[in-house]
């Protein structure tokens, strides 16, 4: 598919990415598929991204010739697998520009990373009458763990509101801090609106009051360079499956001094130093937080995904996706009866929309018959739907392999839906 074909020619702009888009598309075998007889147009990347051959082949090779359990064995394969797992940790550390690979904890995904912090950090720092600041655009994964904690501890949640474009109100954020604020947990990029939040500034405002910040990076890590030292956040969470890697693995970055001061999250093998029935002592981070056999192949596959996107270049990916976002925003705005939900000035490549008179699920179902995969629903962000007064939206979310021509297919699909429900 040429990025310059069809309707795209009407729109000026850097339509040619700084990488070989055709080659990149060929790296993803699933994109060759037809769905309901139509070429697949995969625009559900915020839910999960597809996997390049580099990741698929790494997983296959690892299972075929390098696999064993890690850390505990003296035999050859155990050492090979341990090296692969620990090398994955180092590559994740470099990817995030963490100071030290001990700051990288492998978890199941963003959800588990947030639960880990809420449970371990939260239980030791949040008490009766204390406050946790969240934003109005959080995914349920960054709401419910804090609610469970606050209910248990007699603490309360304070919510940063947003404007009609879906931008957080920083003056209100500032006003929410009190002597009882114990932690801020905020998303880097909203999965429901696409808003990219000013994390550096928000961290600075929190740190001025001595309050740590957890950043939910689930929607950010695959789409632009993340530098945890520059952000200066205390915790950063992301999922492998949204970064072209395997499902079942994710990362919690934590500043070493924070992790060192935190008690274990789960108990079991791997996370101990010594065990007796009288007293157990715990391993240092990151192993303290990795009880049991981890997702070994998943971590190795995630590192392959990181190598893959790093070779293309996160800045090049971000530039291409910015072009897609601008093009798609312009084209969807031209469609009668379409309303975009989430029009922040700083956005990532997520387009939520409603077609008046048609339920989002019907939009999704008709588009599916055109081979177009979008998501329809509340996107695990019910408070966002309530804020914008809609029960659900349809959401097209883009990745490094999407093209302007695919946006054109989406536009034609939406017009078809509108005509069917006229
Ligand atoms: C912003 C955000 N946070 C958290 C999550 C949860 O990620 P996971 O299901 O991989 O744990 C998602 C998933 O959609 C998300 O978009």
């Amino acid at each position: 598919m040429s990025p310059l074909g069809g309707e795209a020619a009407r729109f000026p702009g850097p339509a040619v990415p700084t990488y070989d888009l055709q080659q990149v598309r060929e790296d993803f075998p699933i994109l060759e598929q037809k769905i309901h007889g139509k070429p697949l147009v995969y625009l559900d990347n915020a839910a999960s991204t597809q996997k390049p051959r580099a990741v698929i082949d790494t997983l296959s090779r690892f299972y075929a010739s390098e696999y064993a359990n890690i850390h505990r064995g003296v035999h050859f394969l155990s050492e090979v697998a341990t090296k692969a797992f620990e090398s994955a940790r180092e590559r994740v550390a470099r990817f995030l520009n963490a100071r030290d690979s001990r700051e990288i904890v492998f978890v199941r995904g963003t959800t588990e990373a947030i639960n880990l912090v809420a449970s371990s950090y939260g239980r030791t720092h949040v008490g009766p009458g204390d406050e946790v600041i969240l934003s109005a655009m959080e995914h349920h994964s960054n709401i419910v763990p804090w609610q469970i904690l606050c209910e248990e501890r007699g603490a309360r949640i304070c919510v940063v509101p947003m404007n009609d474009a879906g931008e957080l109100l920083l003056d209100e954020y500032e006003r929410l801090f009190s002597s009882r604020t114990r932690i801020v947990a905020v998303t880097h990029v909203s999965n429901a609106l696409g808003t990219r939040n000013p994390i550096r500034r928000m961290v600075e405002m929190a740190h001025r009051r001595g309050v740590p910040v957890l950043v939910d990076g689930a929607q950010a890590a695959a789409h632009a360079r993340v530098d945890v030292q520059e952000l200066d956040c205390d915790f950063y969470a992301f999922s492998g499956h949204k970064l072209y890697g395997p499902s079942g693995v994710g990362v919690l970055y934590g500043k070493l001094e924070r992790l060192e001061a935190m008690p274990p999250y789960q108990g079991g093998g791997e996370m101990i130093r010594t065990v007796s029935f009288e007293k157990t002592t715990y391993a240092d981070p990151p192993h303290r937080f990795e009880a049991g056999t981890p997702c070994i192949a998943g971590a190795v596959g995630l590192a392959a995904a990181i190598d893959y996107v790093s070779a293309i270049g996160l800045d090049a990916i971000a530039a291409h996706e910015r072009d897609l976002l601008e093009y798609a925003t312009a084209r969807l705005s031209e469609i009668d009866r379409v309303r975009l939900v989430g029009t922040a000035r700083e956005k990532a490549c997520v387009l939520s929309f409603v077609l008046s008179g048609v339920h989002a699920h019907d939009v999704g179902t008709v588009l599916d018959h055109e081979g177009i995969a979008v998501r329809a629903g509340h996107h695990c962000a019910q408070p966002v739907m309530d804020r914008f007064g809609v029960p659900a939206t349809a959401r097209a979310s883009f990745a490094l392999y999407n093209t302007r021509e695919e946006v054109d297919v989406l536009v034609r699909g939406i017009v078809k839906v509108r005509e069917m429900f006229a």
Side-chain angles (χ1 to χ4, degrees):
M1 250 189 225
S2 150
L4 282 171
E7 278 291 305
R10 282 204 292 126
F11 289 82
V16 183
T18 51
Y19 53 87
D20 185 342
L21 185 52
Q22 189 56 40
Q23 178 57 56
V24 162
R25 290 185 64 80
E26 284 168 19
D27 290 342
F28 289 80
I30 208 168
L31 298 180
E32 289 159 20
Q33 275 198 44
K34 291 205 159 145
I35 304 289
H36 305 304
K38 310 271 172 61
L40 167 65
V41 174
Y42 187 78
L43 301 178
D44 195 17
N45 296 288
S48 204
T49 52
Q50 298 300 346
K51 316 305 169 197
R53 221 177 284 278
V55 170
I56 299 166
D57 289 350
T58 296
L59 288 173
S60 165
R61 192 177 52 246
F62 183 70
Y63 276 128
S65 59
E66 296 172 9
Y67 181 76
N69 209 334
I70 54 169
H71 295 146
R72 330 169 172 177
V74 289
H75 61 82
F76 181 81
L77 281 180
S78 179
E79 280 181 21
V80 169
T82 302
K83 266 199 193 120
F85 185 78
E86 291 304 329
S87 148
R89 196 190 304 280
E90 278 160 25
R91 275 134 83 199
V92 171
R94 274 201 299 278
F95 180 67
L96 294 178
N97 194 30
R99 251 166 312 180
D100 194 308
S101 63
R102 290 173 295 168
E103 298 181 313
I104 304 302
V105 180
F106 282 118
V107 288
R108 275 195 302 129
T110 308
T111 303
E112 189 176 43
I114 297 169
N115 274 280
L116 191 164
V117 177
S119 172
S120 170
Y121 186 86
R123 286 220 181 99
T124 40
H125 289 83
V126 177
D130 286 342
E131 294 167 354
V132 171
I133 296 182
L134 307 179
S135 92
M137 64 176 76
E138 298 310 314
H139 187 279
H140 297 166
S141 300
N142 201 23
I143 299 175
V144 184
W146 302 109
Q147 265 172 341
I148 292 172
L149 172 74
C150 287
E151 272 167 28
E152 192 184 294
R153 314 296 293 183
R156 70 183 191 103
I157 285 170
C158 305
V159 181
V160 189
M162 58 184 159
N163 63 20
D164 291 342
E167 293 162 329
L168 293 180
L169 302 174
L170 293 192
D171 291 348
E172 302 284 334
Y173 171 58
E174 180 109 56
R175 273 196 280 277
L176 285 180
F177 285 94
S178 77
S179 61
R180 306 312 302 260
T181 311
R182 293 293 171 260
I183 189 164
V184 172
V186 62
T187 195
H188 200 166
V189 169
S190 157
N191 68 310
L193 301 167
T195 310
R196 174 175 289 282
N197 286 318
I199 295 299
R200 178 74 199 90
R201 234 177 113 197
M202 294 180 78
V203 169
E204 229 172 66
M205 287 159 79
H207 282 182
R208 246 184 273 136
R209 295 159 176 90
V211 175
V213 179
L214 174 141
V215 180
D216 171 351
Q219 294 298 339
H223 305 287
R225 217 161 27 83
V226 173
D227 182 332
V228 288
Q229 291 192 62
E230 196 176 300
L231 292 175
D232 198 28
C233 55
D234 300 84
F235 302 102
Y236 195 94
F238 73 88
S239 302
H241 70 96
K242 293 183 201 282
L243 188 96
Y244 312 103
S247 54
V249 70
V251 167
L252 171 69
Y253 156 83
K255 281 184 178 166
L256 193 56
E257 60 272 25
R258 292 269 178 221
L259 293 179
E260 277 172 345
M262 282 160 54
Y265 162 56
Q266 292 178 329
E270 294 284 314
M271 50 75 72
I272 53 91
R273 199 188 303 279
T274 60
V275 177
S276 73
F277 283 110
E278 289 69 40
K279 171 122 187 98
T280 290
T281 57
Y282 304 121
D284 290 332
H287 303 292
R288 184 186 301 165
F289 304 103
E290 292 177 352
T293 301
C295 186
I296 306 168
V300 173
L302 172 57
I306 283 175
D307 291 348
Y308 179 80
V309 292
S310 302
I312 294 171
L314 266 295
D315 291 341
I317 293 169
H320 173 57
E321 292 182 5
R322 198 173 317 116
D323 173 62
L324 281 179
L325 175 70
E326 281 167 19
Y327 180 65
T329 304
R331 299 263 6 245
L332 262 71
S333 305
E334 290 178 344
I335 308 174
D336 202 26
R337 286 170 47 196
V338 164
R339 173 163 75 96
L340 296 178
V341 178
T343 50
R345 279 157 295 184
E346 291 295 325
K347 269 190 79 170
C349 224
V350 172
L351 274 188
S352 257
F353 62 95
V354 288
L355 181 59
S356 70
V358 188
H359 194 279
H361 284 131
D362 291 328
V363 175
T365 306
V366 175
L367 290 179
D368 176 54
H369 280 90
E370 299 298 310
I372 307 164
V374 297
R375 186 136 295 238
H378 54 59
H379 316 295
C380 296
Q382 284 184 354
V384 175
M385 300 297 115
D386 293 344
R387 168 65 179 78
F388 285 90
V390 291
T393 70
R395 181 187 70 187
S397 51
F398 300 84
L400 59 84
Y401 39 63
N402 291 122
T403 67
R404 281 187 173 203
E405 279 189 356
E406 289 182 310
V407 174
D408 296 339
V409 176
L410 171 68
V411 168
R412 285 197 290 277
I414 298 171
V415 170
K416 185 167 183 178
V417 180
R418 190 190 62 195
E419 283 162 6
M420 282 174 72
F421 288 85

